[in-house]
Amino acid sequence: MDELQTAEMVEKLKDNFDDMVVFKDLKKSNFISSFKLPSFMRDWVLKRFQDDEGNIDVDEATEFIKTFIPKKENWKSIKNRIVSYQEQVKFLAKISIDIDIKTQALSFSLPDFGLTFKDTVIPRDVWESCSAALLKAEENWGIVELGYQYPEDNKIPGKIKLCSFSDFCPYVIDLEEFKYARESFSLDEWIDIILGAIDYNAAGYESRKQKLAMITRLLPFVEKRLNMIELAPKGTGKSYLFGSVSRFGWLSSGGTMSRAKMFYDVARRTEGLVFGHDYVAMDEVQTINFTDVDEMRGALKGYMENGKYTVGNHEGSADSGIVLLGNIPANFMNEYMNMFSELPKVFHESALIDRFHGFLKGWDLPRMNDDLKICGWALNSEYFSTIMHELREDPSYRAVVDARVKVPEKSDTRDTEAIKRICTAYLKLLFPNVQHPEDISSRDFNIYCLKPATEMRSIIKIQLGILDPDEFGAKTVPPLSVKDIDE
């Protein structure tokens, strides 16, 4: 247990969050790390096989993982059991469903295993019992049970059928209880709780500034269409946080990115990554190739402005934030230099950069080391990521921000919207108990919400002046200030 986690704090954590608390020990290379599970799934397994003291039944947990969480390379073996031996096989997977308008046929896909809609079927009785869980989101995690439907004749081929589905989340998320629980903790305690929930040891950080910089990475997790750029040295944990903590986000690392993959594939008639995800994070963005720079730039500008996209005759809308993650040399870690010169060409246009709400200085974060890995009681990552996902739907926080922020006349709309959106995300993360303007002091609102939001937007503005001095060279962010609740 880390040195800052006192018995009193552990007791308070358990009193307020009960079954949502799990013992995590990432300092050791324990048995579960060999399975390379994302943290949200790992904590779900840990909780299932952990006693009240945090001890794990290793044998049972290992057997469960091997049986119910197969790797992609196990798919042929599973398929053989289903098709050749007519077994019904259960395992944990991400599932998406499709309803054919013309035929009323119901089908599903397992994207992680390459099983597509054309090879599957959902029987009507199964649909009646499972549709509520299957329709909760564009993609859902759960225990799927698969069987085989024999071909009826030469015209109707055999297919893999869904026999049952149970939702991955084994408990009911109560957002109001989460908000109420915040009242029991000081701000510093709450910051440490957030860090533990995303697998970090608060005692490993040198300052509150470092802790808040890490928490800043979570802004797109809680606020719809929050677009952010982070440039950082290698080894600060960008990939882990965006790729493993939440099942609601998407991390794309290197390779090729097309408009079809990001927004809509006309040939396949399928929605892209922005649809159904809380954020799309492009990791190692310097290494990503874009198939058509002008096409992608146009699509991104439209989407990042209003959340809508048009591809061919298809019009779509989504709430996913766009996050750029890149490594930056030490001599470029300066907001008054051109930090975007090594980004792909698509991001060399000021009109596109202007649509990013804020910039996170990744060099404010320490390089990942063993002291930063959680070892102690913490919130279940799966639970906390679901809370963050649900906070996206709560409009009350933006109402508080609108009531507390004073906007000067003739302020640039993009700047004020960017600052308010970041400010709202900070409020959700650090002060989720705030429901009315008077629930937070002017001092706290300014220090922990408005000021950092303004600083993040200011860096974007400085970079715009470097990219396009004729258009942005003399412009700065408007001086937003905190409005007293009596005004």
Side-chain angles (χ1 to χ4, degrees):
M1 190 179 299
D2 71 63
E3 60 192 49
L4 290 186
Q5 195 175 46
T6 63
E8 181 183 357
M9 183 60 183
V10 171
E11 192 64 28
K12 189 157 63 165
L13 191 63
K14 290 182 177 180
D15 284 346
N16 281 276
F17 292 104
D18 196 23
D19 289 339
M20 306 310 171
V21 180
V22 64
F23 189 85
K24 306 179 186 182
D25 186 358
L26 303 191
K27 289 185 178 180
K28 295 180 180 178
S29 180
N30 55 30
F31 80 99
I32 208 163
S33 65
S34 64
F35 293 101
K36 297 180 180 179
L37 302 178
S39 60
F40 61 84
M41 193 182 295
R42 177 208 65 217
D43 285 358
W44 184 72
V45 173
L46 284 176
K47 189 63 186 175
R48 188 180 181 116
F49 297 101
Q50 194 173 80
D51 64 21
D52 292 341
E53 303 302 318
N55 300 309
I56 304 293
D57 188 321
V58 175
D59 292 336
E60 285 193 14
T62 301
E63 185 62 30
F64 178 87
I65 292 170
K66 289 181 177 179
T67 302
F68 290 105
I69 309 181
K71 299 177 181 178
K72 189 173 183 178
E73 53 264 33
N74 300 136
W75 173 241
K76 283 188 178 179
S77 174
I78 293 172
K79 188 162 57 173
N80 181 55
R81 289 168 60 193
I82 295 169
V83 177
S84 301
Y85 296 97
Q86 289 77 55
E87 291 185 41
Q88 290 191 355
V89 182
K90 282 186 176 183
F91 57 95
L92 187 64
K94 183 166 58 178
I95 186 171
S96 180
I97 63 100
D98 183 63
I99 304 171
D100 192 295
I101 296 174
K102 295 179 181 179
T103 66
Q104 297 183 320
L106 301 162
S107 58
F108 66 95
S109 70
L110 303 182
D112 291 342
F113 297 96
L115 181 63
T116 61
F117 296 118
K118 66 182 179 65
D119 294 320
T120 65
V121 64
I122 306 176
R124 280 288 162 183
D125 60 327
V126 174
W127 178 252
E128 292 297 327
S129 63
C130 302
S131 58
L134 290 167
L135 291 169
K136 282 175 64 177
E138 179 67 15
E139 293 181 333
N140 292 284
W141 281 92
I143 299 289
V144 298
E145 182 179 15
L146 305 183
Y148 187 62
Q149 179 168 293
Y150 287 94
E152 294 183 18
D153 51 46
N154 293 333
K155 294 182 180 180
I156 303 178
K159 293 188 175 185
I160 291 179
K161 66 179 179 180
L162 184 68
C163 301
S164 69
F165 175 80
S166 56
D167 191 34
F168 171 74
C169 186
Y171 41 76
V172 176
I173 300 292
D174 191 325
L175 191 56
E176 295 307 311
E177 282 190 8
F178 175 83
K179 294 176 183 179
Y180 180 74
R182 170 65 179 88
E183 300 280 355
S184 300
F185 302 93
S186 68
L187 178 59
D188 281 323
E189 287 175 336
W190 189 251
I191 288 171
D192 291 354
I193 287 171
I194 293 175
L195 291 172
I198 57 175
D199 293 348
Y200 290 95
N201 171 29
Y205 291 88
E206 295 178 358
S207 64
R208 182 194 281 178
K209 180 182 178 182
Q210 283 190 345
K211 294 178 181 181
L212 289 172
M214 176 60 77
I215 289 174
T216 295
R217 284 178 169 169
L218 298 176
L219 299 179
F221 290 61
V222 296
E223 182 69 8
K224 292 181 178 179
R225 290 196 299 107
L226 199 155
N227 308 312
M228 196 167 76
I229 301 174
E230 178 187 348
L231 298 181
K234 294 180 179 179
T236 57
K238 298 186 297 296
S239 304
Y240 178 79
L241 186 71
F242 286 95
S244 296
V245 169
S246 176
R247 60 190 170 108
F248 300 102
W250 185 273
L251 180 73
S252 179
S253 299
T256 300
M257 181 63 71
S258 65
R259 185 179 67 173
K261 184 177 180 180
M262 180 70 82
F263 295 103
Y264 184 78
D265 191 319
V266 175
R268 297 182 178 181
R269 293 187 297 174
T270 55
E271 300 285 356
L273 293 174
V274 297
F275 191 81
H277 291 112
D278 288 355
Y279 60 82
V280 175
M282 288 184 267
D283 194 18
E284 299 181 7
V285 67
Q286 298 99 318
T287 67
I288 295 179
N289 296 313
F290 293 89
T291 53
D292 187 317
V293 170
D294 292 333
E295 181 182 78
M296 178 60 80
R297 184 183 286 158
L300 280 170
K301 282 195 293 188
Y303 173 74
M304 293 169 69
E305 183 71 17
N306 54 32
K308 297 180 181 179
Y309 51 91
T310 301
V311 180
N313 295 323
H314 177 81
E315 294 183 359
S317 63
D319 293 319
S320 175
I322 304 296
V323 182
L324 302 187
L325 304 171
N327 296 322
I328 187 171
N331 57 323
F332 279 87
M333 296 178 192
N334 185 339
E335 60 260 45
Y336 297 100
M337 295 175 58
N338 184 356
M339 295 186 292
F340 298 163
S341 59
E342 294 187 22
L343 295 184
K345 186 180 178 182
V346 66
F347 299 112
H348 289 184
E349 186 190 76
S350 60
L352 178 55
I353 295 299
D354 196 19
R355 286 161 168 79
F356 283 94
H357 299 114
F359 182 97
L360 172 59
K361 295 190 289 186
W363 53 89
D364 285 342
L365 290 160
R367 185 175 175 82
M368 194 63 200
N369 59 73
D370 283 347
D371 288 343
L372 291 175
K373 296 177 182 179
I374 184 69
C375 177
W377 293 97
L379 287 185
N380 180 328
S381 295
E382 199 277 329
Y383 164 72
F384 185 64
S385 69
T386 304
I387 287 290
M388 290 193 290
H389 174 71
E390 294 202 2
L391 282 169
R392 295 166 68 87
E393 301 295 333
D394 194 328
S396 64
Y397 298 95
R398 178 56 186 263
V400 171
V401 169
D402 286 337
R404 295 307 304 265
V405 174
K406 184 186 296 184
V407 180
E409 292 184 2
K410 298 183 179 179
S411 295
D412 185 277
T413 300
R414 277 213 187 111
D415 289 337
T416 57
E417 176 60 25
I419 292 170
K420 284 187 173 184
R421 193 168 292 194
I422 295 171
C423 200
T424 302
Y426 273 122
L427 190 66
K428 290 177 179 179
L429 285 168
L430 298 177
F431 304 96
N433 53 311
V434 168
Q435 294 298 287
H436 305 97
E438 61 272 18
D439 293 344
I440 184 170
S441 70
S442 296
R443 177 186 178 277
D444 282 351
F445 184 80
N446 185 52
I447 293 175
Y448 300 106
C449 301
L450 183 56
K451 186 179 178 181
T454 303
E455 290 174 351
M456 289 181 69
R457 179 60 185 176
S458 293
I459 298 175
I460 294 291
K461 205 74 171 184
I462 292 167
Q463 289 298 302
L464 286 171
I466 295 171
L467 281 172
D468 190 350
D470 293 337
E471 175 68 21
F472 294 98
K475 294 181 179 179
T476 59
V477 296
L480 273 61
S481 57
V482 181
K483 186 191 301 182
D484 289 334
I485 56 176
D486 296 329
E487 290 187 40

